[in-house]
Amino acid sequence: MKNTLVLFFLLSTFLIYQYASAQSGPRYVKGLSVSLLAEPKNGSTVVNKLERGAAVTQETEQGFWAKIVTPQGTGWVPKLTLSASPPAAQESLMDKKVDISSNARKRASNFTSAGSARGLNESKADFDKANLKADFAALKKMESFYVSPQKALRLLGAM
Amino acid sequence: MKKLIIMASMIITFLLPAIGATTTTDTVNEDARKRLHQLNDGGYTQDDVQAEIDFGKKLAAGILGKTTILANKKMNSYVNTIGSLLVSQVGRPELRYHFAILDSDDVNAYACPGGYIFVSKGALKLMKNEGQLAGVLAHEITHVNQRHIVKQLNIKAKDDSLNSNIAAVVGGGSTAFFTMLNQGMDLLFTDGLKREDEYEADAIGLEMLTALGYNVRSYYDFLEEVKRSNEQHKDQVMNKTHPSMDSRLERIKLIMTQNGLHQLNGNTNQPRFSKYVTL
């Protein structure tokens, strides 16, 4: 009886551990060129740099930090720089037509959203009709200020 | 020994389903479901993301219909660079984040779905360093990352395969689409997001600042400055759309204490901020 209980305990522990590991699953580096640090604090020694999309195994966490194991070494990164699924490619509105659904109001017919199919400028008239003032020229200007994350990382070394 | 082996087999048979181990059939179904709906992080499809960007773009155009962009390219580029620095580490990789300074003396900041983020000239005037700017941008980026407006307005792409009876299809030009846009404008300018969303944006914003090596205390100091400003200008305040500044400050202080953030000497980059922000 004693043997059975010990065996039951060991097997339960093993299976629960296996299950917990499977649930946490692999983690992926979401940030660009993330520093793998020796300790969970800024200013700590950089063990290596991790590229976006790299699959890693999370061992443990401490506050805002996660301890991970990678082929480049073991160390700490901010938890926010990891995600449970591989990072998606950047979306572009020009790629495809999209329908938007919402419970704002029920409507029977399908309608392709304006951004892709009709062009943003064309939808200005719709805004006017709906008594909503919109400035699409200013929106374009805002988009012209765009700085890519890669460029931001480069610039801040030189700014 | 034989008895033990039989016992072990029985235990495994009993325990596997009890702890919810995945079966082969489950895996196959899961894979099929993923292929069918192109699931990405959080269960949103690529089409959902496209819908979010489309809506956010138009909501941003609506904001720019109310207030103009500050005519200062250097300053706007600087704000974009700091915003993109945060995004480089903690943003949603599928989005392009855009930032602009609104030419308004109100002290405020707004985030539209899809990554369109605004900070007012009035807010920048109150800031003393880059840590404070990064704190405000981190708060707004969190609203985008956590899909606060997307969830509140239930913005998603139409999914024919679901035959959902809650999903009404709307699009550019339809009355329903503009109803939704008006709801978005009301959330930003009048009603505000849910209090818990604001608290979450503060909490994750602090985590972002830590991840980027900024001085976390800067954000707390800025909010204290806003609180002081609110008391002087009761008509031009951030808390038109936010929970009380006292409750936010209290929660931020608690997070800082729990995570030992008071002791950190992160960057404020004050000289760089003063070089680019000249108001």
Side-chain angles (χ1 to χ4, degrees):
Chain A
M1 185 60 189
K2 194 180 168 191
N3 278 348
T4 311
L5 281 176
V6 170
L7 184 66
F8 183 81
F9 174 76
L10 288 174
L11 274 171
S12 305
T13 309
F14 172 73
L15 287 171
I16 288 167
Y17 173 78
Q18 289 290 94
Y19 176 66
S21 304
Q23 289 301 294
S24 61
R27 289 283 180 275
Y28 298 89
V29 176
K30 186 172 76 168
L32 282 173
S33 190
V34 174
S35 296
L36 183 67
L37 301 175
E39 290 175 80
K41 61 178 184 188
N42 286 309
S44 162
T45 310
V46 178
V47 176
N48 221 320
K49 289 278 185 183
L50 303 174
E51 290 310 309
R52 172 175 283 173
V56 301
T57 306
Q58 185 175 321
E59 255 189 8
T60 182
E61 54 184 57
Q62 185 180 310
F64 295 160
W65 300 85
K67 187 177 187 184
I68 58 170
V69 179
T70 80
Q72 288 82 33
T74 297
W76 297 83
V77 294
K79 281 194 289 186
L80 286 180
T81 61
L82 301 176
S83 65
S85 53
Q90 200 166 79
E91 293 292 331
S92 162
L93 262 185
M94 302 313 289
D95 290 344
K96 53 164 81 172
K97 296 172 183 177
V98 191
D99 289 341
I100 298 178
S101 56
S102 161
N103 59 3
R105 180 193 257 193
K106 295 195 175 186
R107 186 179 164 89
S109 63
N110 287 4
F111 197 107
T112 304
S113 63
S116 51
R118 303 164 344 122
L120 286 170
N121 288 327
E122 290 172 68
S123 58
K124 188 179 182 308
D126 295 324
F127 271 78
D128 293 342
K129 264 190 288 177
N131 248 346
L132 247 175
K133 216 173 145 201
D135 190 337
F136 289 100
L139 183 73
K140 274 191 176 169
K141 190 176 175 188
M142 178 182 186
E143 289 179 336
S144 76
F145 296 140
Y146 178 68
V147 176
S148 73
Q150 291 85 347
K151 191 175 175 189
L153 284 172
R154 274 201 314 275
L155 280 177
L156 288 173
M159 270 171 102
Chain B
M1 185 62 192
K2 194 178 167 191
K3 198 174 162 189
L4 269 182
I5 290 169
I6 292 168
M7 189 64 77
S9 309
M10 284 172 69
I11 289 168
I12 288 170
T13 311
F14 169 74
L15 278 176
L16 275 177
I19 62 168
T22 310
T23 65
T24 311
T25 317
D26 288 341
T27 310
V28 170
N29 289 342
E30 179 69 7
D31 288 348
R33 194 171 67 86
K34 281 185 178 174
R35 278 197 302 277
L36 187 63
H37 298 301
Q38 303 165 296
L39 283 181
N40 58 23
D41 204 6
Y44 289 88
T45 66
Q46 284 179 346
D47 283 352
D48 289 335
V49 175
Q50 293 272 354
E52 177 190 348
I53 296 169
D54 185 38
F55 181 82
K57 244 179 198 293
K58 286 167 190 150
L59 192 60
I63 290 175
L64 293 170
K66 285 167 79 87
T67 315
T68 54
I69 294 176
L70 182 74
N72 187 324
K73 194 178 173 189
K74 184 176 145 189
M75 219 182 294
N76 274 293
S77 296
Y78 172 67
V79 169
N80 269 273
T81 307
I82 301 307
S84 285
L85 175 71
L86 290 161
V87 166
S88 76
Q89 301 301 297
V90 296
R92 285 167 52 194
E94 73 274 22
L95 297 182
R96 261 178 180 238
Y97 292 73
H98 299 277
F99 304 85
I101 304 166
L102 293 175
D103 195 356
S104 158
D105 287 323
D106 284 1
V107 176
N108 227 326
Y110 309 98
C112 299
Y116 289 81
I117 291 170
F118 300 91
V119 58
S120 71
K121 182 179 74 183
L124 273 172
K125 266 186 186 171
L126 278 188
M127 293 174 192
K128 292 186 173 62
N129 60 51
E130 194 176 288
Q132 297 188 341
L133 170 63
V136 171
L137 297 180
H139 177 100
E140 299 305 324
I141 289 168
T142 303
H143 283 313
V144 175
N145 288 358
Q146 299 302 106
R147 295 180 165 94
H148 286 152
I149 289 185
V150 170
K151 287 173 188 165
Q152 208 157 328
L153 296 183
N154 193 22
I155 298 163
K156 55 178 143 176
K158 180 178 174 291
D159 187 344
D160 288 328
S161 64
L162 286 179
N163 294 320
S164 167
N165 61 2
I166 59 153
V169 181
V170 298
S174 75
T175 310
F177 183 80
F178 285 103
T179 301
M180 209 157 79
L181 266 184
N182 271 313
Q183 287 173 340
M185 293 295 271
D186 286 347
L187 278 180
L188 292 175
F189 290 99
T190 323
D191 303 337
L193 294 169
K194 293 176 188 164
R195 272 167 188 257
E196 54 267 34
D197 289 349
E198 293 299 345
Y199 294 139
E200 184 178 53
D202 279 339
I204 297 180
L206 290 181
E207 204 172 336
M208 284 187 188
L209 290 180
T210 309
L212 270 294
Y214 279 111
N215 182 311
V216 175
R217 173 82 200 191
S218 301
Y219 183 56
Y220 183 90
D221 293 343
F222 173 71
L223 291 186
E224 273 199 322
E225 197 60 48
V226 174
K227 187 186 158 193
R228 272 193 288 276
S229 167
N230 288 355
E231 284 156 6
Q232 288 167 12
H233 310 282
K234 289 196 184 299
D235 57 328
Q236 304 174 350
V237 297
M238 214 172 201
N239 68 2
K240 271 181 198 167
T241 56
H242 284 63
S244 88
M245 203 52 82
D246 281 330
S247 62
R248 290 177 67 191
L249 285 167
E250 206 174 293
R251 280 163 189 260
I252 290 171
K253 198 180 256 181
L254 185 67
I255 295 169
M256 288 181 5
T257 308
Q258 283 170 341
N259 291 280
L261 300 178
H262 285 290
Q263 293 91 44
L264 295 177
N265 296 316
N267 301 321
T268 56
N269 293 338
Q270 195 278 326
R272 186 162 68 191
F273 179 82
S274 300
K275 184 178 166 191
Y276 289 94
V277 178
T278 46
L279 288 166

